[in-house]
Amino acid sequence: MPIDFAATKAQFHLPEGVIYLDGNSLGPMVRGVAARVEKAVTAEWGELLIRGWNRAGWMAQPRVLGDRIGRLIGAEPGSVVLGDTLSIKVYQALASALEMNPKRRVILSDTGNFPSDLYMAEGLCRTLGGQYRLKTVAPEEAMAAIDETVAVVMLTEVDYRTGRRHNMADITRRAHEMGAITVWDLAHSAGALPVNLSGVKADFGVGCTYKYLNSGPGGPAFIYVAPRHAEAARPALSGWLGHEAPFAFDLSYRPGQGVERMRVGTPPVLQMAALEAALDVWDGVDLGEVHAQSLRLQDQFIKGVEARAPMLQLATPRSHLMRGSQVSFRHPEGYAIMQALIAEGVIGDFRAPDILRFGFTPLYIDEDDVARAVSILARIMDYGTWDRPEFKQRAAVT
Ligand SMILES: *Cc1c(COP(=O)(O)O)cnc(C)c1O
């Protein structure tokens, strides 16, 4: 059945007068979340106290919700678990992958990757005593740079800045031909486009839930370990909840079953309750259809902006095959322009040095929203209303 986008939109709380084009950074609140969190606070924590771990299913939640996310990313049942932040999950996946390819010393990534992923890799190389090296190349050169020296190919499928999308199937195949292991970051893929981790034979996958999956600020991250690696992958962050028997309180570590070993410590129960309710909007939703509709909205936006605000330069590839769910434009005054837009209720964001970023999330953004956003942007550019001191004052979060 085709998705009824008006019905999905009605499931989101969107503030009056706001056109929200930043679901790629922080998804909006799904209406059912407030009641679910309230229940977790009052009925579960409040009444059950410590008994909530068993009776309210808190302990099983990271795997139960992992399976629900698994469906959205083509993961086998039991291969995804939630917890911690994405940066931590990147570190874990990378450390395990390196250990599984012990003769090689190079981590290959690209210059479009999110800085935290690169920082985590640098930190891990240092911890491992400096024999390891992070090599970054331009995104379009990543495929060709995979050679017999590469231990791990660590890439983010969709570039957070430009929206450029890698070909995950081809890169994974090439990596395997060259004897490398893949770590795919799905931060801008999960909930945005169809991902088929098992189909492309990906080795590790990681991602966050507070972007397209709408779990709220600080929501837990997820990690995928291909079932064929699950018993070989050794967790670098060997916390008690990844132990085979946490409540045996053994003095030494034995990894838990499969992906459970990638759990570290106590899960964020309240955030997980929010995620649980947020995931309800995905029931019966086909990601192929979501992405196709996102591309239509993106095309509408690109066409409108190029016609009415030609001083903005498209930074996102035109090819549908190379796009995720966001469109970016460059302008030297991008920061001020974005602040002027936000002041008029069109919320996107800015990424240094000159990128204006707009996310197109069809579950709650429609053609009217896009048309209005284009008109407001065109007016701001025509009248130069961005050129005011208050729009040039940089806040901590851009
Ligand atoms: C959003 C994002 C992150 C953020 O990591 P956190 O640890 O959740 O703050 C990391 N990597 C990528 C690719 C991202 O898009």
Side-chain angles (χ1 to χ4, degrees), residues 24-25 85-88 90 113-117 156 158 160 185-188 208 210-211 219 221 357:
N24 49 300
S25 205
T85 73
L86 176 50
S87 304
I88 300 282
V90 167
N113 205 345
F114 192 77
S116 197
D117 297 38
T156 298
V158 179
Y160 77 102
D185 190 326
L186 305 174
H188 296 275
C208 52
Y210 53 78
K211 291 173 181 162
R357 230 169 37 148

Side-chain angles (χ1 to χ4, degrees), residues 171-246:
I171 289 179
T172 303
R173 194 176 317 111
R174 167 83 182 167
H176 289 168
E177 280 164 14
M178 290 290 151
I181 294 178
T182 52
V183 173
W184 283 105
D185 190 326
L186 305 174
H188 296 275
S189 310
L193 43 87
V195 177
N196 191 353
L197 287 172
S198 61
V200 305
K201 301 197 163 58
D203 301 285
F204 291 87
V206 292
C208 52
T209 61
Y210 53 78
K211 291 173 181 162
Y212 293 96
L213 298 175
N214 313 307
S215 69
F222 64 84
I223 183 166
Y224 163 84
V225 182
R228 65 183 180 283
H229 297 318
E231 299 304 320
R234 291 173 53 191
L237 303 177
S238 36
W240 73 304
L241 288 188
H243 191 279
E244 188 182 22

Side-chain angles (χ1 to χ4, degrees), residues 83 218-219 264:
V264 181

Side-chain angles (χ1 to χ4, degrees), residues 58-76:
W58 295 344
M59 197 48 93
Q61 196 76 317
R63 217 186 50 232
V64 172
L65 297 184
D67 275 344
R68 287 182 73 186
I69 290 170
R71 183 185 79 76
L72 305 175
I73 55 174
E76 300 85 345

Side-chain angles (χ1 to χ4, degrees), residues 96-296:
S96 293
L98 283 178
E99 213 179 351
M100 286 166 56
N101 210 353
K103 296 212 174 73
R104 300 187 181 186
R105 294 287 177 267
V106 175
I107 301 163
L108 177 69
S109 192
D110 72 39
T111 52
N113 205 345
F114 192 77
S116 197
D117 297 38
L118 302 176
Y119 301 162
M120 282 291 170
E122 283 176 355
L124 179 58
C125 289
R126 217 170 45 240
T127 302
L128 291 172
Q131 323 101 292
Y132 287 85
R133 183 165 72 90
L134 170 66
K135 178 178 173 183
T136 50
V137 298
E140 54 280 6
E141 285 157 19
M143 179 87 155
I146 306 172
D147 60 24
E148 301 85 0
T149 66
V150 174
V152 178
V153 177
M154 177 188 80
L155 292 171
T156 298
E157 185 188 13
V158 179
D159 189 309
Y160 77 102
R161 213 191 264 125
T162 63
R164 181 191 185 281
R165 181 185 182 184
H166 279 299
N167 186 322
M168 203 165 143
D170 285 356
I171 289 179
T172 303
R173 194 176 317 111
R174 167 83 182 167
H176 289 168
E177 280 164 14
M178 290 290 151
I181 294 178
T182 52
V183 173
W184 283 105
D185 190 326
L186 305 174
H188 296 275
S189 310
L193 43 87
V195 177
N196 191 353
L197 287 172
S198 61
V200 305
K201 301 197 163 58
D203 301 285
F204 291 87
V206 292
C208 52
T209 61
Y210 53 78
K211 291 173 181 162
Y212 293 96
L213 298 175
N214 313 307
S215 69
F222 64 84
I223 183 166
Y224 163 84
V225 182
R228 65 183 180 283
H229 297 318
E231 299 304 320
R234 291 173 53 191
L237 303 177
S238 36
W240 73 304
L241 288 188
H243 191 279
E244 188 182 22
F247 286 86
F249 296 106
D250 287 343
L251 291 188
S252 58
Y253 183 80
R254 275 177 287 125
Q257 283 253 313
V259 78
E260 287 268 354
R261 67 187 56 187
M262 294 300 171
R263 293 176 66 159
V264 181
T266 304
V269 171
L270 301 181
Q271 292 276 185
M272 221 114 37
L275 174 61
E276 183 187 4
L279 287 176
D280 288 347
V281 299
W282 297 98
D283 290 343
V285 165
D286 170 47
L287 265 301
E289 207 185 320
V290 170
H291 191 219
Q293 176 67 3
S294 173
L295 288 168
R296 278 192 285 276

